[in-house]
Every structure is written in C-alpha cells, then in structure tokens.
Amino acid sequence: MKSKGIAGDEIVRNLVENSTSFDVKTEFSKAKWLKKKINKHQLNIIVRKPSIRLFASSTVSKLRPDILAKIISNANVWSGSRAIVVECKDDLLTSAVSQRVGDKGNVVQNF
C-alpha cells in the first residue's frame, strides 16, 4: 500500500477494518496494537532547535559532547572572555566557544 502512495492513517484504518481479531482484544491491547501500527506506517518528524550538544552527539562529529565540554572548561572559556581558537576540522570547537562567550566576548579563529 505504501508503494501506491496511500497515507499512513489510511493504511492503519484499512488494517483495523480487515483485522479479524481486533474486536475481541482488550482496550489496552487495542491501544498497544494501534500504537505499533501507527509507528510503523506513519511518518514522524522531530524538529529540534540546533545546538552544539545536538551536533556533537550526531554521527557527523567525531568529538563526544563530554570531551567538548571538558576542552572548553579546561580552556577557562566563560561569558565575556576573549578566546583564540586554532582548529582545522569541522568548526565545532569554534562554534562551542562562540556560544559560551556570547555577545560580550570575542573569538578569533585561525586555521
């Protein structure tokens, strides 16, 4: 049905109508079955606000969030400080330092 372009809620409705054992199930079992079918056949998209922690925990970055936090903590970067960042990878460290410094400080990046 998915290959024909039918929407997910229509597929689930069709499965309920054609199920022989759906009517004899308990309410809890029906809810569990429906939840499972909805998760399988309907598209779910989660929109999150981009952040350094979210990007660091993605598969794109090779730097773990706890290591990034340790680097910034050991470098003594705080709001309003001035920092020089030497980085040649994916600008994750520069972005994290810029976020920590905020509007009050300065960040200079060298390659």
Side-chain angles (χ1 to χ4, degrees), residues 4-48:
K4 294 179 183 176
I6 298 175
D9 55 345
E10 189 67 34
I11 294 172
V12 172
R13 194 175 308 121
N14 194 2
L15 288 172
V16 169
E17 290 172 359
N18 294 334
S19 176
T20 57
S21 62
F22 187 75
D23 292 332
V24 295
K25 293 183 180 195
T26 63
E27 292 299 319
F28 176 76
S29 181
K30 286 180 184 180
K32 184 178 170 183
W33 188 83
L34 279 172
K35 182 179 178 184
K36 183 175 137 184
K37 295 301 178 184
I38 286 171
N39 285 340
K40 183 177 180 180
H41 296 290
Q42 284 186 348
L43 178 65
N44 294 329
I45 298 174
I46 298 173
V47 179
R48 296 181 181 167

Side-chain angles (χ1 to χ4, degrees), residues 68 79 110:
L68 182 63
S79 177
N110 288 334

Side-chain angles (χ1 to χ4, degrees), residues 26-94:
T26 63
E27 292 299 319
F28 176 76
S29 181
K30 286 180 184 180
K32 184 178 170 183
W33 188 83
L34 279 172
K35 182 179 178 184
K36 183 175 137 184
K37 295 301 178 184
I38 286 171
N39 285 340
K40 183 177 180 180
H41 296 290
Q42 284 186 348
L43 178 65
N44 294 329
I45 298 174
I46 298 173
V47 179
R48 296 181 181 167
K49 181 181 177 183
S51 67
I52 299 300
R53 178 181 295 260
L54 184 65
F55 184 73
S57 63
S58 70
T59 57
V60 175
S61 174
K62 304 292 185 210
L63 193 61
R64 293 189 343 225
D66 59 327
I67 301 298
L68 182 63
K70 187 72 171 169
I71 290 170
I72 292 175
S73 176
N74 287 345
N76 201 18
V77 177
W78 69 91
S79 177
S81 63
R82 289 185 242 163
I84 298 174
V85 180
V86 179
E87 178 183 36
C88 62
K89 182 133 172 100
D90 55 1
D91 296 333
L92 180 65
L93 184 61
T94 306

